[in-house]
Amino acid sequence: MAKNLIVGAGLSGLTLARLLAEGGDKVYLIDERSHVGGNVFDYNDDGILVHKYGSHIFHTNNEKVWKFLNRFAIFSPYMHKVKALVNGELVPVPFNINSLYKAFPNKIAQYCENRLLDKFKFGTKISILDLKKEFGELADFIYEHIFVHYTAKQWQCKPEELDKSVFERVPVSISNDDRYFQDRFQGIPFEGYAKLCERIADHPNITMALGVKFEYGMEKSYNRLFYSGAIDEFFGYKFGELPYRSLDFKLLKLNCPQFQECAVVNYPNNYDYTRISEFKHYLPFKSSKTIIAYEYSKNWRKGDERYYPVPNDSTSLLYRKYENEASKCKNLYFIGRLGKYKYFNMDEVVAQSMELAETLLMQKSGLFLSN
């Protein structure tokens, strides 16, 4: 029976722990935070589930991942919609045909719609960088009012200094679909992410300890170490720090039933915060009060939470040095967003941990059969 030390009780570590445990392995799961769930942790305040580390909306086309998580929670159907304040109007984001009619007079919006539909098939999604090649003026408007200033606040750089994957996450949609995501499965756990995570960890082969920081030497008592913390921190920053963006949240509880018309409103051009989230939109529970979070982006410094890896050529080169260093270590696996230095959606970290667990359990089965 293999013994496994997993560092980090977020979705990557929890998924791996559960599947290894169900395969007969013993797992010791630790997290330096006092709660389970990592950045998806939420808590109840006056009947409202507050997402402590910013809004998290689960969405996926991966049926295997969806079925796995639904073993531990019932999801409330929820289709996420985001709006951005543009010239005083709340415009749907990603920018789409409906956005045209919010941002422009009808005649101009109709002209732009016709041109777009002449060039692109209805329902397609295109990068703002690709749109600039075909529709200069329209692309310039979207680029200026949706991307440039938001990017400056979120990343403290110009859009062209980032990897194009950043723009592909928020494409221009040639449709009337206002949803932020178009995945087949979307929802929020009725009892919250924290309860979902607690149930994933509830297995006799899993021992979980919260408020416990990883220290070198711990791994000597185990067959394998799975580390979901920052890979550069693990190696003592020997090649330098991998840069991250961090966030500050200012929460307000308001004595009114609703503050804004949707869960998230972006402020690309106005004010110094990037967006405001209103948590009560996520679930159908009633409350006479509401809780909102102003979100401010900042450079990460030691002691801050790491949120977004900074994707560009230089950071990719630096990460590869750490990745090469990790490859020299036997039975050491880096998992999750910080271990892989890549921004993943929730379903992606679950899928990666499922695949890793499946591979390890198959190896275990193969070794057993060979004996």
Side-chain angles (χ1 to χ4, degrees), residues 173-191:
S173 179
I174 313 301
S175 74
N176 298 97
D177 189 346
D178 285 343
R179 294 176 302 164
Y180 199 80
F181 310 111
Q182 281 72 44
D183 301 74
R184 180 182 173 194
F185 305 107
Q186 301 184 43
I188 307 287
F190 268 113
E191 296 177 274

Side-chain angles (χ1 to χ4, degrees), residues 139-290:
D140 287 345
F141 177 90
I142 299 172
Y143 190 72
E144 173 71 20
H145 290 86
I146 300 294
F147 287 94
V148 171
H149 304 295
Y150 192 91
T151 301
K153 286 194 284 187
Q154 181 79 351
W155 299 97
Q156 276 195 341
C157 67
K158 297 177 181 178
E160 53 267 26
E161 295 175 38
L162 296 169
D163 187 85
K164 67 177 183 179
S165 62
V166 174
F167 301 100
E168 290 169 352
R169 292 182 62 83
V170 189
V172 176
S173 179
I174 313 301
S175 74
N176 298 97
D177 189 346
D178 285 343
R179 294 176 302 164
Y180 199 80
F181 310 111
Q182 281 72 44
D183 301 74
R184 180 182 173 194
F185 305 107
Q186 301 184 43
I188 307 287
F190 268 113
E191 296 177 274
Y193 290 105
K195 183 62 69 176
L196 162 71
C197 291
E198 288 169 6
R199 288 181 178 145
I200 296 174
D202 185 14
H203 190 280
N205 282 341
I206 298 174
T207 300
M208 183 169 66
L210 300 175
V212 175
K213 186 176 176 63
F214 172 77
E215 295 180 4
Y216 295 105
M218 283 183 173
E219 72 281 3
K220 293 179 181 178
S221 301
Y222 299 88
N223 301 107
R224 294 179 296 224
L225 169 62
F226 303 90
Y227 193 83
S228 69
I231 189 171
D232 56 340
E233 183 177 39
F234 182 89
F235 288 112
Y237 305 103
K238 65 185 298 182
F239 303 117
E241 287 185 10
L242 285 165
Y244 284 87
R245 296 294 290 170
S246 189
L247 299 172
D248 275 335
F249 298 96
K250 291 185 179 178
L251 268 65
L252 290 177
K253 182 187 284 188
L254 303 176
N255 192 24
C256 60
Q258 185 172 310
F259 174 76
Q260 60 192 26
E261 61 185 65
C262 58
V264 175
V265 174
N266 289 354
Y267 290 84
N269 311 297
N270 306 84
Y271 313 111
D272 53 349
Y273 43 85
T274 55
R275 58 185 176 178
I276 300 175
S277 298
E278 185 172 18
F279 302 109
K280 69 185 303 180
H281 287 277
Y282 293 135
L283 291 166
F285 307 132
K286 301 296 182 184
S287 173
S288 61
K289 296 181 173 59
T290 192

Side-chain angles (χ1 to χ4, degrees), residues 66-99:
W66 180 247
K67 285 183 176 179
F68 172 75
L69 293 178
N70 273 265
R71 291 171 52 193
F72 309 102
I74 298 174
F75 281 73
S76 174
Y78 173 78
M79 298 290 170
H80 192 45
K81 295 184 179 181
V82 175
K83 296 191 176 180
L85 187 67
V86 176
N87 294 338
E89 294 286 344
L90 290 179
V91 174
V93 175
F95 204 92
N96 59 34
I97 291 173
N98 292 335
S99 308

